[in-house]
Amino acid sequence: MRHFLSINDIDSLSNWVAEAKTLKEDPTRFHKLGRGKTLCLLFFNNSLRTRLSTQKAAMNLGLEVMVMNFGNEGWALEFGDGTIMDRGTSEHVKEAAKVVSQYCDIIGIRAFAGLSDKEKDEAELVLNGFKKYARVPILNMESSVGHPLQALADAITLTEQSIKPRPKVVLSWAPHPKALPHAVPNSFVQMMRLRDADFVITHPKGYELNSAITKGVQVEYDQKKALENADFVYVKNWSSYGDYGKVLSQDANWMMTQAKLGKAKFMHCLPVRRNVVVEDVVLDGSQSLVIEQANNRTYAAQVVLKKILEAN
Ligand code: CP
């Protein structure tokens, strides 16, 4: 069974990006592929882009779509083995995953990190629970540790916007009042490792990402130095990984400004807090790629769904 759980499920990034670009030119070309099949999207957390772009991608392929806000409306699920369920959880993933599998052909899941227990988050209880017990392929719509649909969309955007074969791409941490997960930067780093680029990560000390993911990638603690001659600046907040889930700094000096951006293109996965993460003039200016990144979420989801349908 072909699942799409992480960037590691992409066998050739350049081929997938090329296929996504072809789909973008003629989105309904394969509208018969999903005929008579159903995609079920389970949201344990909020979404705008993922929810709508994945539905749009499915519709382009002729799939029917069912969406459930599991976090608010579903029974509280249990994931532990042998648990005496006399507390808050009402239904075990063993039954839930098998039941949902009877109603659809692919299950999409969004389940963020809780950011209080690193071991639990890295076990990916929701995603792996459904993977273990479902009888249909699973699509990761952002899990505790990865957001591969976003990273694939970002790869499409970088390819479309690059005028150099080897651009300089900087992943720059930004301040944020809330503790945010590591899923987006993790998958962006994993994706960048599959591309030819001069890639640099910059963040304050204490914000090092999981070294298993960043191994071999240049980290520059001086943001100004990191941004020199950048072609693309991907801005994102994340909480501390070492001091797990903590906000160690809200230093406004790390906010992206037009002066710092220079001539580089600005990228962010959205949603973004204006004048905290990035100043208005950048988002409103012609160097911002955020709307096109969101547009490419449809074609990233479409290429993934197409491959799942073809393989199963
Ligand atoms: N970038 C992204 O995943 O957006 P949503 O959280 O709105 O789906």
Side-chain angles (χ1 to χ4, degrees), residues 43 46-51 110 112 141-142 147 150 184 269-271 297:
F43 283 90
N46 295 350
S47 171
L48 188 160
R49 280 143 290 273
T50 304
R51 180 169 175 149
R110 164 162 283 202
F112 291 171
M141 300 196 298
E142 187 171 346
H147 195 356
Q150 180 66 52
V184 169
C269 62
L270 302 180
R297 289 294 307 274

Side-chain angles (χ1 to χ4, degrees), residues 122 145 182 186 189 207-215 241-242:
E122 295 196 331
V145 301
H182 309 96
N186 281 348
V189 172
Y207 279 95
E208 292 76 13
L209 292 162
N210 183 346
S211 59
I213 290 172
T214 59
K215 195 175 173 197
Y241 179 73

Side-chain angles (χ1 to χ4, degrees), residues 123-147:
E124 296 272 34
L125 292 183
V126 183
L127 196 71
N128 285 332
F130 273 88
K131 183 192 164 199
K132 187 169 178 184
Y133 297 110
R135 292 170 174 155
V136 297
I138 302 297
L139 170 70
N140 182 350
M141 300 196 298
E142 187 171 346
S143 65
S144 294
V145 301
H147 195 356

